[in-house]
Amino acid sequence: MATKPGIPKGTRDFSPVEMAKRNYIFDTIREVFHLYGYSQIETPSMENLSTLMGKYGEEGDKLLFKIQNSGDYFSGITDEELLSRNAAKLASKFCEKGLRYDLTVPFARYVVMHRDEITFPFKRFQIQPVWRADRPQKGRYREFYQCDADVVGSNSLINEVELVQMIDSVFNKFGIRVSIKINNRKILTGIAEIIGEADKIVDITVAIDKLDKIGLDNVNAELASKGIPQEAIDKLQPIILLSGSNEEKLETLKTVLAASETGLKGVKESEFILKHVAQLGVKSEVELDLTLARGLNYYTGAIFEVKALDVQIGSISGGGRYDNLTGVFGMDDMSGVGISFGADRIYDVLNQLDLYPKEAVNGTQLLFVNFGEKETEYSLPILFKAREAGIRAEIYPDSTKMKKQMSYANAKQIPFVAIVGENEMNEGKVTLKNMTTGEQSLLTPEELVAAIK
């Protein structure tokens, strides 16, 4: 008996209707990227592990899908190493490549490799799948698409302002109400300095980034488990839970971080971004959120995260400034900033809120019924004219019962059906049936095209 087929956990098949919805998402995001001067590139699905490892922090490294070497991958491995059952060590011997975890690190690698061909500042976008060996759950997949836009070779905060505008524009086009959260890694560094734990900045940011998911008590427990003393944790509480308007938070931070040059620089950068975003009339809610840390180690300045207001789901977009990412590939002093839209989560949000426009998911608009050879010969030139006019049209390929052909039209939700019989051919016309109202009209080919257009 044949084994029933399946797909790996955390992956999905997409039907034609679902693909139409996904393409609507990609096309909308792509349109906004183009409006702001970004150009598209692509990079391979797999990268050398040396490119990927060490760029996402310890937790990120654990989530990399590693690709087993082809050929005799046991050669060069001793029996002692095999018997040690040290998975991490053996994987480093068995695997030289891995599936990309995100699009930012491959992009940094691309910039370094193609630096002589690139005009800086370089504004690029990518719409490609990424893979993470994460535990699958609602809104979290092992294979998912990211839609990234990054600009490298410029330190200007105008780039951050425009990224917020782009986020706002994309979600306004989708009709999704969002909250855009902003913070700055320099502010977080300043906080770590003033509580006397500057060397624990990574542990602090990784922990407080989980506040939404695990709550304050668990965040404090994680901080304690990392060796941060209770006195420092106590000092952290009022800062993490700071409330008020963006302006009030910034004024408080100027006082709190007065002894930290780095912290004050982060406050100044945040002030610039928030001031200009407010002046430009961004429609979405934009909030300075000190609990936003974005656990990735490569962020050095402004960081962003976007939450849907009407659906319970994780962040649907995020990003930030990174000043030193290309340095690990031998190219120093290359600052960049970027955002990533989580297409799969956006897909789920649009589904839950039923926000897809009808025209985005409709397939065929017009079906020609097939009554036989003569009728088909008459219909084909009209079908050609309809397609020339931009109407998505098809002819049923087989001459079969009318009921079967109409069932096909209903199943595919085709709104119009063209019927050609002896009478229609004699008059040089076509009967057009509206499948929603049931209304039928006898029309010339030109009138048929006009009626559907």
Side-chain angles (χ1 to χ4, degrees):
M1 188 176 171
T3 306
K4 189 180 177 184
I7 57 173
K9 283 183 180 178
T11 65
R12 295 179 288 177
D13 287 324
F14 293 98
S15 68
V17 169
E18 289 167 329
M19 277 311 303
K21 290 177 176 180
R22 284 167 69 78
N23 285 330
Y24 162 68
I25 292 170
F26 297 143
D27 292 345
T28 303
I29 293 171
R30 188 182 287 111
E31 181 189 341
V32 172
F33 286 165
H34 280 309
L35 277 175
Y36 282 79
Y38 287 74
S39 304
Q40 189 167 10
I41 67 163
E42 287 199 350
T43 59
S45 298
M46 58 181 173
E47 294 274 352
N48 293 325
L49 276 178
S50 57
T51 298
L52 301 174
M53 294 291 284
K55 312 304 186 303
Y56 307 105
E58 195 178 329
E59 291 194 10
D61 281 353
K62 289 176 188 172
L63 300 180
L64 286 171
F65 274 111
K66 299 170 180 69
I67 299 171
Q68 188 174 285
N69 295 341
S70 54
D72 182 11
Y73 50 81
F74 281 112
S75 64
I77 297 175
T78 65
D79 289 347
E80 188 183 350
E81 285 173 323
L82 281 171
L83 291 169
S84 73
R85 299 174 70 85
N86 185 326
K89 194 172 179 183
L90 287 170
S92 69
K93 303 255 183 176
F94 287 165
C95 310
E96 293 170 0
K97 295 176 283 294
L99 295 177
R100 60 172 172 246
Y101 177 95
D102 73 351
L103 299 176
T104 308
V105 170
F107 170 53
R109 189 265 312 149
Y110 176 94
V111 170
V112 174
M113 286 184 67
H114 299 270
R115 67 180 93 182
D116 295 332
E117 308 152 31
I118 290 172
T119 302
F120 292 102
F122 180 44
K123 299 171 88 169
R124 86 79 172 88
F125 75 88
Q126 271 176 273
I127 300 177
Q128 288 187 274
V130 300
W131 294 266
R132 295 183 186 178
D134 216 339
R135 185 169 65 85
Q137 53 188 285
K138 186 185 176 185
R140 190 183 291 270
Y141 305 99
R142 285 176 170 167
E143 177 187 63
F144 56 96
Y145 266 76
Q146 284 187 339
C147 309
D148 279 21
D150 288 77
V151 52
V152 294
S154 168
N155 294 307
S156 172
L157 292 170
I158 293 295
N159 297 310
E160 276 86 338
V161 173
E162 288 206 332
L163 288 175
V164 176
Q165 285 182 280
M166 286 163 67
I167 292 168
D168 181 60
S169 180
V170 164
F171 289 111
N172 273 300
K173 283 177 182 289
F174 286 140
I176 298 173
R177 293 192 321 119
V178 298
S179 172
I180 304 171
K181 310 278 190 185
I182 294 182
N183 199 7
N184 196 297
R185 288 298 282 255
K186 293 185 181 77
I187 290 176
L188 293 168
T189 300
I191 291 168
E193 285 175 5
I194 62 152
I195 65 167
E197 298 294 327
D199 59 327
K200 293 283 178 70
I201 177 64
V202 173
D203 291 332
I204 292 169
T205 55
V206 167
I208 68 173
D209 196 38
K210 297 175 184 173
L211 186 70
D212 275 357
K213 297 174 196 145
I214 64 175
L216 185 61
D217 290 344
N218 288 320
V219 167
N220 289 338
E222 184 169 327
L223 289 167
S225 74
K226 297 292 183 183
I228 296 167
Q230 190 58 47
E231 186 187 352
I233 294 172
D234 291 341
K235 283 184 186 173
L236 203 52
Q237 303 310 293
I239 302 167
I240 293 176
L241 301 171
L242 189 65
S243 60
S245 68
N246 291 334
E247 292 77 12
E248 287 166 345
K249 288 176 185 175
L250 288 166
E251 286 307 312
T252 302
L253 284 171
K254 285 176 187 174
T255 306
V256 171
L257 299 175
S260 169
E261 189 182 336
T262 302
L264 288 178
K265 194 173 178 192
V267 172
K268 191 177 178 185
E269 289 178 6
S270 300
E271 200 167 30
F272 179 95
I273 296 164
L274 290 164
K275 177 186 161 190
H276 284 80
V277 163
Q279 286 173 347
L280 292 164
V282 167
K283 297 181 183 73
S284 303
E285 169 189 299
V286 182
E287 182 195 353
L288 179 67
D289 182 356
L290 298 186
T291 68
L292 173 61
R294 294 206 52 87
L296 299 182
N297 287 347
Y298 53 65
Y299 290 124
T300 55
I303 43 181
F304 312 100
E305 197 157 275
V306 181
K307 296 281 177 75
L309 293 175
D310 301 314
V311 174
Q312 282 289 102
I313 200 166
S315 67
I316 53 178
S317 182
R321 165 74 62 175
Y322 42 88
D323 285 339
N324 50 14
L325 190 60
T326 54
V328 297
F329 299 124
M331 189 176 182
D332 294 324
D333 304 320
M334 182 59 68
S335 185
V337 62
I339 51 168
S340 176
F341 291 92
D344 293 83
R345 286 187 177 179
I346 292 170
Y347 174 92
D348 288 345
V349 171
L350 289 170
N351 264 350
Q352 286 185 55
L353 299 177
D354 194 21
L355 287 174
Y356 288 100
K358 264 188 177 175
E359 61 272 18
V361 293
N362 279 349
T364 302
Q365 296 166 280
L366 174 65
L367 173 71
F368 280 80
V369 171
N370 186 336
F371 283 140
E373 200 172 316
K374 278 192 304 177
E375 291 84 350
T376 298
E377 209 168 295
Y378 176 89
S379 298
L380 284 174
I382 304 171
L383 174 63
F384 176 75
K385 276 184 184 174
R387 286 172 176 158
E388 286 250 289
I391 295 167
R392 301 185 298 277
E394 60 180 290
I395 187 166
Y396 197 85
D398 305 303
S399 175
T400 186
K401 289 179 182 176
M402 176 84 157
K403 186 180 177 183
K404 186 175 181 181
Q405 298 188 49
M406 297 304 262
S407 295
Y408 175 84
N410 280 324
K412 287 191 71 176
Q413 298 184 327
I414 299 172
F416 295 98
V417 168
I419 301 165
V420 173
E422 199 73 41
N423 293 338
E424 284 84 4
M425 289 193 292
N426 288 338
E427 291 190 47
K429 293 187 177 180
V430 176
T431 295
L432 182 68
K433 179 172 182 175
N434 183 316
M435 294 294 282
T436 306
T437 64
E439 184 186 341
Q440 293 191 178
S441 312
L442 189 63
L443 305 170
T444 65
E446 291 74 24
E447 288 169 340
L448 175 141
V449 167
I452 294 171
K453 289 290 281 183

